[in-house]
Amino acid sequence: LSFWYHMYGAHVNILRLKLRGNSGDQLLWQLQGTHGNEWRYAQLRITEPSTYSLVFEGVRGTSYEGDIALDDIALRDGQCPPPDACDFEQSDLCGYTQDITDDFDWTQQSGASSTANSGPSFDHTYSTDFGKYVYIETSSPRQPGDSARLVSPVYPATLGTCLSFWYHMYGTGTGALRVRTQINGVETVRWVLTGNQGNQWSNGQVSIGENGNYQVIIEGEIGSSHRS
């Protein structure tokens, strides 16, 4: 299933997508708050063995300044293609998965991170308390050198692709952020940055050229303290 949505205004509340089947309604997707004066794309995989229908539900906010719109809803057989961009707004993290061989997991967050004098106060996409991002939580029981890794879906071979992303590395004990590619279990470090980079979102870019199907691995490593 794919669709385009537009959620803009100070009083926008919630847009939900539900699957209605024999056992009632099941929540598949939900987004809250204003997300800019632009159309945005969403997709998700649906597996249901019996007859079903889809329900889009818009919930009004506290006042009139805010509208929710939908367009170009499409339902097609087969897997969803890997997204070209990811803003980490949805719980499925755009198909990125937590590496089970690392020390801990990335955390999806909206608003400020939990440790004072570290981390962002808001996301980069919308710069609001509603927008979401992922970060590594470095407080106890985490130890210096522990790492968390996010693994992308599989992408096809490419002669030249630019991977662009926004990062926030703030705090006196900030460790390292690495971007790797992986083919058949063999990893190559493509980009690395260490230490405190200031209380701001900054852009990073990586040129990728791979002669086979590959995955991207985003790795965060804990530094000398929990202020990172």
Side-chain angles (χ1 to χ4, degrees):
L1 171 71
S2 65
F3 58 94
W4 291 81
Y5 63 90
H6 192 285
M7 301 174 66
Y8 177 57
H11 303 136
V12 168
N13 196 359
I14 300 173
L15 175 63
R16 298 188 181 103
L17 171 62
K18 299 178 180 180
L19 184 147
R20 179 165 293 171
N22 295 333
S23 58
D25 288 358
Q26 174 188 352
L27 181 64
L28 298 179
W29 181 94
Q30 176 174 287
L31 197 60
Q32 184 173 15
T34 183
H35 288 274
N37 188 13
E38 61 182 323
W39 287 95
R40 303 188 65 85
Y41 180 77
Q43 65 177 23
L44 65 156
R45 184 187 180 193
I46 297 174
T47 56
E48 176 60 37
S50 58
T51 302
Y52 67 93
S53 59
L54 296 173
V55 179
F56 284 93
E57 177 184 47
V59 181
R60 185 183 187 274
T62 57
S63 190
Y64 65 91
E65 292 186 3
D67 291 321
I68 298 174
L70 288 167
D71 204 357
D72 296 327
I73 300 170
L75 193 62
R76 301 181 179 90
D77 289 336
Q79 298 280 351
C80 293
D84 293 329
C86 181
D87 54 17
F88 294 116
E89 292 298 318
Q90 305 308 318
S91 59
D92 66 358
L93 304 181
C94 313
Y96 278 75
T97 57
Q98 307 279 2
D99 190 338
I100 62 173
T101 67
D102 58 7
D103 301 304
F104 66 111
D105 288 344
W106 287 78
T107 299
Q108 187 184 43
Q109 176 77 7
S110 58
S113 58
S114 59
T115 303
N117 298 316
S118 69
S121 299
F122 45 78
D123 74 315
H124 174 264
T125 309
Y126 305 113
S127 299
T128 69
D129 290 337
F130 292 112
K132 295 180 181 179
Y133 59 92
V134 291
Y135 83 110
I136 59 169
E137 174 55 54
T138 60
S139 58
S140 180
R142 303 276 64 88
Q143 299 294 323
D146 284 357
S147 66
R149 291 159 47 108
L150 275 179
V151 183
S152 78
V154 176
Y155 294 105
T158 175
L159 295 177
T161 294
C162 177
L163 171 67
S164 177
F165 55 94
W166 290 85
Y167 62 88
H168 192 288
M169 299 173 67
Y170 173 55
T172 55
T174 298
L177 178 65
R178 298 182 185 90
V179 177
R180 307 171 185 263
T181 55
Q182 174 180 262
I183 296 182
N184 298 325
V186 179
E187 297 181 8
T188 303
V189 176
R190 299 292 183 181
W191 184 94
V192 62
L193 190 64
T194 61
N196 185 2
Q197 304 296 317
N199 188 11
Q200 62 189 16
W201 287 99
S202 301
N203 184 246
Q205 293 185 340
V206 180
S207 294
I208 298 175
E210 298 288 3
N211 59 9
N213 293 344
Y214 69 95
Q215 292 173 287
V216 174
I217 300 173
I218 302 173
E219 179 183 67
E221 181 181 318
I222 292 180
S224 58
S225 78
H226 67 279
R227 295 197 182 280
S228 61

